[in-house]
Amino acid sequence: MERFGKRILPTAVAVGAGVLTLLGYLLPVPPFTTVRDEMVQWAVIVAAFAFILGFFNVLRVHLGRLARRASGWGYSLVLILTALISLLITAAGLVAEPARAASDWWFGYVLYPLQAAAAGLVAIVLAFSAFRLLRHRRSAETLFFLVAALVVLLGTTPLPGVIGERLAALRQWWMEVPAMAGMRGFLIGVGLGTLLMGLRVITGMDRPHSDV
Amino acid sequence: MCGAMNPADSVVCEQCQARLVPLVAEEAAEAQPEVPSGEEVSGAEPFSEEVSLPAEEEPDWLTELRATMEEAEEEQEPPVEEAGPVAEVEVPDWLRELTPSAPPPSEEAEGEAETEVPEWLQESAPEAAPPEEEVERESEVPEWIQEVVSPEEEAEETAEVPDWLREVSPPDASVEEEEVEAAPPPEGELEPPAWLQEVSEEVGGGPFVGVPTEEAEAVQPGAEAPEWLREIAEAVEPPSTPPEREAEEEVSLPPTEEAEEPEEAELPTWLLQAVSPVEAPAEEAPTEAEEPEVRKGVRVFTSEEGVPTLEPGEVPDWLKELAPTDEVPLPVPEEKGEEEIEGLAPAEIPDWLEALRPREEGGTPEEPVETEGVLEGLRGTLPPSPAVEAAERAVSIPSVTAKPASIARAELFQELLTRPIISPRRIERRRERGVGLAIQRLIIGLLLLAAVLAPMAGMWLPVGEGGGSAAPALLPDVQAAYTTVETRVHQGTPVLVSIEYGPSEAEEVDLVAQTLLRHILDRGGRLILVSTRPEGPALADRLLSALVEAADREARVVNLGYQPGQASGVQGLLANLARRPVYPAGVPASEMPAMEGVSSAEDVNLVVVLGGQDEDVLTWIEQTSARYPDLPVVAGVSARVEVSASPYLERAGAGALKGLVVGLPGATVYQDLRGEEDRHLTYYLQSVMWGQWAVAALMAVGMVVFLAGGKGR
C-alpha cells in the first residue's frame, strides 16, 4: 500500500497528465485541446498553492530561528514583520478601496526603492570583481573575458567620432556572431534537456514527484 | 485304511478298526456323561468314547498293554492319569496320528483346570500358545496386560533398546521375572519317567510331548501329584510372583473355545499350545541350530528324533489350523544391527536419559585428555576457546605496500598535526589584507557614485544624435519593433502586454516600456496587461498611471494581475484572457470595456513583452510563438537580456520575435525614430554612460596592475 501511494499512484497521475497534455499539442483538435487546456488550468492552480505554501514555509523557517535565538535572529525578526505587514496591507488594499492608497504607498516607497538599491549594489560588486579578476585567476581565458567585456561596454556607450564607430561595429559583430552562437547552443541544449526530461517523466523513468 | 465296506452307522472300520467318522464336538459332548470318575480313570479305561472299545472287540495288543500298565502301576505307583495316554499310544496308525491330540477333556476336568491348574503349567501354557490364539487373547485382555504377558514382545522391546540404555536402566523386577520364565527348566525334570519312556519306545517312538496329560491337570497338586511332577512344579515355579503376574496368568488361561470350535475342543488348550510350534514346520524341518531344543519349559522333539513327517493330505484340518502361519524366531539382542537401533524414534528416549548416553572414547577429538594437574586423565574439562580455533583457521592478510605518494601525504598530515598554532603575526597580516580590500571596495564605490552623479554636475558626455555611436548597431531591431507597432496597432486594437520585471530592473525597463506603450496608446490601441511575477501588477499600475488618464483608463487599459505557473500559466492565460479577474477589483475581465471582443490571445493583434530577466522573456516568446505562430511579438528588455533574446529575432532567422528594444540606448533610438525627445531618458542615459566608462576604466587598471606586478593566487 505504501508502494502504491508513494510510487505507483504519483507516477500514474504524472504519466497520464503528461500524455493527455501532449496529445493536445500533437493533435490540436477537440477533445484533445479541451483536455489540454483544462490540464493547464489545473497546473496553474497547483502552482498558485505552491506559491502560498512557499510563503508560509519562509515564515516557519525564520520563526524557528527566532525561537532558537540562532545567529542573525534579528534579521529573521525583521523579515517576519515585513512579510506580515506586506501581507496585511496588500490584502487590505485588495479587499477595501480605502486601503488601496496604503498599499500603493507601501509598494512605491518601501519595496520599490529597496529592490532598486539591491540592484545598484550588484553593479558595485560586479565592478569590484572585474577589477580584481586577474589577481585571482591569471590566465588567457580570464584575459580574453576581460577584453570582451571592455569591447561591449565601450561599444554600447554612445561615443562620437571614429573610435565610437569602430567600437560599435566591433560590439555588433561580437554580439551577433560569437555571443549569439554560444547563446543558441545553450538554448538548444536547454531545449533538448527539457524534452528528454519530459519524455522520461512521461514514460515513468524519472519520478521527481515520488519519494522512492 | 483297509478300504473294506462298513455299515453306514459304523464309527470304526470292522476290518482294520480305523475310525470312519471324524471327531466332532457333539460326540465329545455326548461322551461327557460317560467320562469315568477319578477312580474309573485310574483303570485302563480310555478318556473318551472314541478310544474306548468294548471288551470283546479289544485287540490283543491292547489287552497286553493294559496288563503291562497294571504291573507298572503296582511297581511304581505311577499316576493313574498317565496310563490312559500310554495305552492309547498302542492303538493303530490312525490312533497314532491322534496321539498328539489327546482326547478332549470333560467339562468337569476343564472346570478344574481353570481353577486348579498348577502354576508351572499356567506359565508354560501362554508361552507356547500359537499366534492365532494370542491374537484372540489380545482382543479380550487389556493392553497393559498383553504387554506384560507377551514374552516375545518383551523380548523385542528388550532387543530394540540399545545396550547402553539397557545398562543405564535400573534393574526391573519384571525383567528378573522374565528371565526366570525364559530360563529352561532342567531337562531331567521335564523328561517323562522311565516307565513312560519305555512305553513310548514300545509304541514306536511316535511323537511325544513331555508334558502331563489332562488328567494331571485335574489332579490336585500336592498330595495327589507324583513326586516327579511335584519336582517339576517346584523347579518351574518362580520364587515370588507378583500379583499382576498372577492375574495375567489367570486371564491368559484358555477360554471356553471348545464349544465354538469342535476340532480344537478335542485337545486341551495347553496341549495345543505346546504342539503347534512343533507341528507348524512339519513340511520344512528346521535344523537343530534354528530350532531350540527346549523352549519355554516344554521339551520338543524334532523330526530327527523320530517325529513322523506327515503328508499334506494326511494332515487333519484341525492340525492345519493350529499350525503357525509364520515362525517367529526368538529375538537375539546381541545380533541386532545398528539399523534397528537407529530406527528408534528419538521421542522414545527422554532427555534426562539422553543426557546419560555414554560417549565412546576417542569419538570427540576436539576434547583432549588432560595430561597434568588435578584434572589429569579427564577429557573435555577445559575445551579450547573458539577464538583460538578461529585464529588458527584465519587466512593471513596479504601485506600491503604503501606507495610513496601515500607516505608523502601521511608525512604532510603528520607535519600539519605537529605544526604549532597560527602565530599572532599572521593574524595581523590578514587584518591588513581585509582593510586593503575594504579600502578598494570603498574607492570603487565612490568612483561609480561619482560617475552616476556626474550628469547632475553638468558633465555631459558627447552622445550625438540618434543614440550616438551605438545607434547603428541597435537600429535594425528597434526599427523592426517600431514598424511592427505601426502596422499592427490601430484604433481600438487590443494589445497584450506582459510586465515581466520587478523594482530592481524597473529604473531601466520602465523607460523602455513607457516608450513602447506610449507609442501603442498614441496609435489608439487597448492595453491588456498581465504579469507572471507577483510584483508585476503593482508595477503595471504604477506605469499606467503615468501614461493613461484616469478617465480613459477603463476604456483603454485593463490589468489582469498576476498569473502563476510560469510556462503553464502563460499557456492558460493565452487561451483564456476573458475568464481572468481584473486587478485589483476582482471583477471579471469580460465585463471591462478594454476587453471587448477579446477572449484569448488569438483576438489580439500584438504581444509586447517587457522584461528584465531572461527566463520570463523567453517563456513568453516561446509560448506565444508556439501556440500562435502568426501573432507578432515585440520585446522591450533590459540590456542584460539582449544576449538571450537576440537568437529569437526574425532578423536572426528565428521568426518568433519581430523587434527588440534593448535598454536605454534602444529606447533612445526608438524615441529618435518617433521624433520625440524625453529629457528624463537623456539624463538616465548620461548616467549610464558615465558608469560604463568608470567600470571600463577600473577593468583596464586592474588588468595592468595585476598583469604587470601583482601576484596571482
Side-chain angles (χ1 to χ4, degrees):
Chain A
M1 189 64 190
E2 184 180 0
R3 176 184 171 86
F4 177 80
K6 289 188 175 181
R7 185 168 185 172
I8 296 177
L9 183 60
T11 303
V13 171
V15 171
V19 169
L20 289 176
T21 307
L22 193 61
L23 280 177
Y25 287 105
L26 296 176
L27 303 172
V29 292
F32 299 110
T33 53
T34 306
V35 174
R36 177 198 63 188
D37 294 341
E38 198 64 29
M39 297 297 292
V40 169
Q41 290 298 326
W42 289 3
V44 171
I45 296 172
V46 172
F49 276 99
F51 189 80
I52 298 173
L53 186 64
F55 174 79
F56 285 107
N57 185 51
V58 169
L59 289 182
R60 186 182 65 85
V61 170
H62 286 274
L63 281 173
R65 290 172 59 87
L66 186 62
R68 295 193 308 269
R69 296 297 176 92
S71 176
W73 62 271
Y75 300 107
S76 297
L77 178 61
V78 173
L79 185 144
I80 292 170
L81 293 176
T82 306
L84 292 177
I85 291 171
S86 300
L87 178 66
L88 292 175
I89 291 176
T90 306
L94 293 175
V95 174
E97 186 66 22
R100 177 78 185 279
S103 176
D104 290 343
W105 181 89
W106 180 262
F107 179 80
Y109 294 96
V110 178
L111 296 180
Y112 191 98
L114 285 174
Q115 290 196 23
L121 290 176
V122 172
I124 296 176
V125 172
L126 288 175
F128 181 74
S129 299
F131 172 74
R132 296 176 58 85
L133 183 60
L134 284 175
R135 176 175 175 83
H136 291 279
R137 184 175 296 176
R138 189 180 301 177
S139 62
E141 293 83 0
T142 306
L143 188 60
F144 182 77
F145 174 80
L146 287 175
V147 171
L150 279 174
V151 170
V152 172
L153 276 174
L154 296 177
T156 307
T157 304
L159 292 175
V162 180
I163 297 176
E165 293 177 356
R166 295 286 177 86
L167 287 174
L170 183 61
R171 177 198 179 271
Q172 186 175 1
W173 176 86
W174 188 269
M175 294 296 291
E176 290 182 356
V177 179
M180 188 177 292
M183 194 62 203
R184 282 195 171 182
F186 173 75
L187 292 174
I188 290 174
V190 171
L192 291 176
T194 305
L195 175 65
L196 183 61
M197 189 183 70
L199 289 176
R200 289 176 65 87
V201 172
I202 288 177
T203 56
M205 298 175 67
D206 274 354
R207 290 179 292 273
H209 38 69
S210 178
D211 291 342
V212 291
Chain B
M1 297 291 179
C2 62
M5 299 296 291
N6 293 289
D9 55 348
S10 297
V11 177
V12 297
C13 179
E14 295 177 356
Q15 298 298 326
C16 63
Q17 302 300 323
R19 183 176 178 82
L20 300 176
V21 178
L23 293 173
V24 293
E26 289 78 8
E27 294 177 0
E30 291 174 357
Q32 286 176 1
E34 299 177 5
V35 173
S37 61
E39 295 177 356
E40 293 174 349
V41 170
S42 62
E45 195 67 19
F47 295 110
S48 61
E49 187 183 12
E50 297 84 45
V51 295
S52 63
L53 299 174
E56 58 274 13
E57 296 180 1
E58 191 176 65
D60 297 336
W61 62 270
L62 189 57
T63 306
E64 293 175 1
L65 179 61
R66 188 163 293 152
T68 306
M69 291 296 293
E70 290 175 358
E71 292 176 3
E73 189 177 0
E74 292 175 359
E75 292 176 2
Q76 300 179 2
E77 293 181 359
V80 293
E81 308 82 20
E82 304 297 329
V86 174
E88 291 179 9
V89 172
E90 300 296 336
V91 298
D93 296 337
W94 65 269
L95 192 57
R96 197 185 308 157
E97 296 175 0
L98 298 175
T99 303
S101 59
S106 61
E107 291 183 0
E108 194 176 335
E110 274 188 16
E112 291 177 0
E114 291 179 1
T115 55
E116 299 177 3
V117 171
E119 292 181 357
W120 64 273
L121 278 178
Q122 293 177 1
E123 293 175 4
S124 60
E127 294 172 1
E132 293 179 2
E133 191 172 353
E134 227 175 70
V135 172
E136 293 177 2
R137 275 191 287 123
E138 286 177 1
S139 61
E140 300 171 357
V141 178
E143 188 176 355
W144 65 274
I145 295 180
Q146 292 179 8
E147 295 176 359
V148 176
V149 169
S150 175
E152 294 182 359
E153 292 179 3
E154 286 186 5
E156 290 177 1
E157 291 177 0
T158 306
E160 290 177 358
V161 177
D163 297 339
W164 63 269
L165 184 59
R166 198 178 304 157
E167 294 173 4
V168 173
S169 301
D172 193 357
S174 62
V175 177
E176 293 179 357
E177 293 173 7
E178 187 64 24
E179 290 176 354
V180 171
E181 292 178 13
E187 293 186 3
E189 295 178 358
L190 289 176
E191 289 181 352
W195 62 269
L196 194 55
Q197 291 181 357
E198 292 174 2
V199 172
S200 177
E201 291 173 359
E202 290 178 5
V203 168
F208 180 79
V209 177
V211 292
T213 59
E214 190 171 354
E215 285 72 15
E217 298 175 15
V219 175
Q220 293 292 336
E224 298 183 6
E227 291 183 2
W228 64 270
L229 194 56
R230 265 178 282 168
E231 291 175 2
I232 292 174
E234 291 174 1
V236 173
E237 184 178 2
S240 63
T241 304
E244 297 83 2
R245 188 63 184 175
E246 293 178 1
E248 164 202 344
E249 290 167 356
E250 290 178 5
V251 171
S252 64
L253 284 175
T256 57
E257 299 170 350
E258 291 76 10
E260 298 176 2
E261 299 181 5
E263 295 175 356
E264 293 184 9
E266 296 176 4
L267 294 176
T269 306
W270 61 271
L271 190 57
L272 290 173
Q273 296 169 357
V275 168
S276 59
V278 181
E279 294 295 334
E283 297 179 0
E284 297 178 10
T287 60
E288 291 182 2
E290 295 174 346
E291 184 71 17
E293 201 170 295
V294 177
R295 180 184 294 178
K296 306 298 180 183
V298 178
R299 179 175 176 82
V300 179
F301 293 91
T302 62
S303 59
E304 294 179 0
E305 295 175 347
V307 177
T309 302
L310 298 177
E311 295 297 331
E314 297 178 359
V315 178
D317 296 337
W318 63 271
L319 198 57
K320 290 179 180 178
E321 293 178 359
L322 292 177
T325 56
D326 189 11
E327 185 178 4
V328 179
L330 289 175
V332 183
E334 293 76 13
E335 296 178 0
K336 290 286 182 181
E338 291 184 2
E339 296 178 357
E340 293 185 47
I341 296 175
E342 291 176 359
L344 285 173
E348 296 178 1
I349 302 174
D351 296 337
W352 64 269
L353 202 57
E354 187 71 26
L356 297 175
R357 181 193 293 272
R359 298 181 180 178
E360 297 180 359
E361 292 186 358
T364 56
E366 65 276 6
E367 297 180 356
V369 179
E370 294 295 326
T371 57
E372 58 183 1
V374 295
L375 300 177
E376 182 178 359
L378 299 179
R379 183 183 295 278
T381 54
L382 295 174
S385 172
V388 175
E389 296 177 355
E392 293 176 353
R393 294 191 298 268
V395 180
S396 61
I397 300 173
S399 61
V400 179
T401 304
K403 297 179 180 180
S406 301
I407 296 174
R409 285 194 293 269
E411 291 176 353
L412 176 61
F413 184 67
Q414 187 176 5
E415 180 186 356
L416 292 174
L417 292 177
T418 56
R419 184 176 294 178
I421 302 175
I422 300 173
S423 60
R425 181 181 179 184
R426 185 175 293 272
I427 294 175
E428 291 176 0
R429 290 178 60 186
R430 282 192 173 182
R431 285 179 179 174
E432 291 175 359
R433 180 176 297 177
V435 172
L437 288 175
I439 293 174
Q440 291 178 14
R441 291 194 187 99
L442 181 60
I443 293 174
I444 292 173
L446 292 175
L447 182 59
L448 291 178
L449 180 61
V452 171
L453 296 177
M456 295 183 179
M459 302 174 64
W460 288 73
L461 290 172
V463 177
E465 297 180 356
S469 60
L474 301 175
L475 186 59
D477 299 333
V478 176
Q479 183 68 45
Y482 176 80
T483 305
T484 302
V485 173
E486 287 287 329
T487 56
R488 299 290 295 186
V489 177
H490 307 285
Q491 186 66 33
T493 301
V495 177
L496 180 61
V497 179
S498 171
I499 308 297
E500 301 299 334
Y501 62 93
S504 57
E505 306 102 7
E507 292 296 332
E508 182 185 7
V509 182
D510 268 351
L511 296 176
V512 178
Q514 288 175 3
T515 303
L516 283 171
L517 295 181
R518 189 178 292 116
H519 187 200
I520 294 172
L521 289 173
D522 292 344
R523 298 283 299 172
R526 294 177 292 166
L527 299 179
I528 303 172
L529 303 175
V530 70
S531 177
T532 61
R533 299 183 61 161
E535 63 271 30
L539 280 175
D541 263 3
R542 183 185 177 93
L543 181 63
L544 292 175
S545 61
L547 295 176
V548 183
E549 296 293 334
D552 299 336
R553 185 164 182 174
E554 288 189 356
R556 305 194 60 181
V557 178
V558 60
N559 188 356
L560 299 181
Y562 167 65
Q563 173 65 35
Q566 298 295 321
S568 299
V570 173
Q571 278 283 333
L573 182 67
L574 293 174
N576 300 285
L577 288 173
R579 292 170 58 182
R580 290 194 55 81
V582 176
Y583 175 85
V587 297
S590 56
E591 299 178 1
M592 302 298 293
M595 291 291 295
E596 184 179 357
V598 177
S599 61
S600 66
E602 195 175 7
D603 301 326
V604 300
N605 286 13
L606 179 65
V607 175
V608 178
V609 180
L610 304 174
Q613 295 186 1
D614 301 343
E615 297 82 4
D616 301 330
V617 175
L618 299 185
T619 297
W620 271 97
I621 294 172
E622 292 169 353
Q623 298 299 324
T624 304
S625 60
R627 186 152 190 173
Y628 306 101
D630 299 332
L631 184 62
V633 178
V634 174
V637 297
S638 171
R640 58 179 291 194
V641 185
E642 181 186 5
V643 179
S644 302
S646 297
Y648 292 92
L649 282 169
E650 190 176 34
R651 179 176 60 84
L657 189 60
K658 293 292 184 182
L660 181 63
V661 180
V662 178
L664 296 179
T668 304
V669 174
Y670 198 96
Q671 284 187 355
D672 289 344
L673 291 175
R674 289 194 65 193
E676 296 179 352
E677 184 180 0
D678 187 355
R679 181 79 179 171
H680 189 68
L681 179 60
T682 303
Y683 183 82
Y684 267 91
L685 182 59
Q686 287 289 328
S687 295
V688 171
M689 289 173 57
W690 277 106
Q692 289 178 344
W693 274 105
V695 173
L698 287 173
M699 290 174 64
V701 173
M703 289 172 61
V704 172
V705 171
F706 294 112
L707 280 176
K711 293 182 179 179
R713 290 183 177 179

